Amino acid sequence: MGGFQLMEPVMTNLSVVSRRNVFGTLACGCVAAAGLGSRPARAASPLAKTSLSAEEALAKLKAGNAAFVAGGACIPAGGPVPISTLSAGQAPFAVVLGCSDSRTPPEHVFTTGLGELFIIRVAGNTADTTAIGSIEYAVAVLGAPLVMVMGHSQCGAVEAAGEVISVGTQFPGFIGDMVQPIVPAVLRARRDGHMLLDDAVRANVEDVAAHIARASELVAEAISANKLRVVGGVYNLANGKVDFLA
């Protein structure tokens, strides 16, 4: 994630400090000042955080997706950029929690270059502890003002969750555990005993976005302070267009 370090004494004493204080101290990289340990936590990036508001970041994603659809091809944005210039740090303008599906790379979908998006990808675009912690890092330390949860049409993970409900399918390994968080969305999308996949995909995006805001106090506080928005969208595999839900 770029080198954010919390020394061991910090972790052992973390429980005595409120999440509200953690949010503030992470943002300025001064955890030691809050009495969390003898050595400070160091934020990964010395770069200035993005100056975009949540609304401006969302507009940038929408414009980027429109350009992607108009181009009709996956063309990396920005032209040649020396990789070494990115070593100084990162200041992404948005977080994208998306599906691992190989056809849905957010950098292409939103016509962005390296360093612009903080991306978390997992089949079914669900938000477990690791994903939420990653989002908290991007918001509290890197200053991202927008979190986008992006599902996609014909999602295999959502379809698998539907099979769990409809025919009791049991998947091998950890696949069954992976799709379990999607089951409530599938149940809400059922009509007359049948799942409508498009509705289930959308319901899953809505559930995940709500879960992020509910499960993370850091995210909730940033939303309350008008420093963050959490929104959803569904990418259409057939035409490349994202249907923004906000």
Side-chain angles (χ1 to χ4, degrees), residues 2-7 26 28-31 39-46 137 141:
F4 175 66
Q5 297 175 351
L6 281 173
M7 303 304 182
L26 283 178
C28 67
C30 303
V31 175
R39 289 178 290 178
R42 178 169 57 83
S45 177
Y137 172 84
V141 178

Side-chain angles (χ1 to χ4, degrees), residues 29-123:
C30 303
V31 175
L36 291 178
S38 58
R39 289 178 290 178
R42 178 169 57 83
S45 177
L47 298 185
K49 297 176 176 63
T50 181
S51 62
L52 297 181
S53 67
E55 289 71 22
E56 290 168 335
L58 181 58
K60 187 175 177 69
L61 289 186
K62 290 181 177 180
N65 181 243
F68 172 71
V69 173
C74 291
I75 303 174
V81 177
I83 294 175
S84 61
T85 63
L86 299 170
S87 65
Q90 58 175 323
F93 73 86
V95 182
V96 178
L97 171 59
C99 184
S100 298
D101 191 295
S102 61
R103 300 164 292 180
T104 63
E107 298 94 336
H108 290 290
V109 170
F110 296 115
T111 318
T112 55
L114 297 179
E116 294 191 273
L117 297 179
F118 193 89
I119 296 170
I120 305 148
R121 297 182 70 180
V122 61

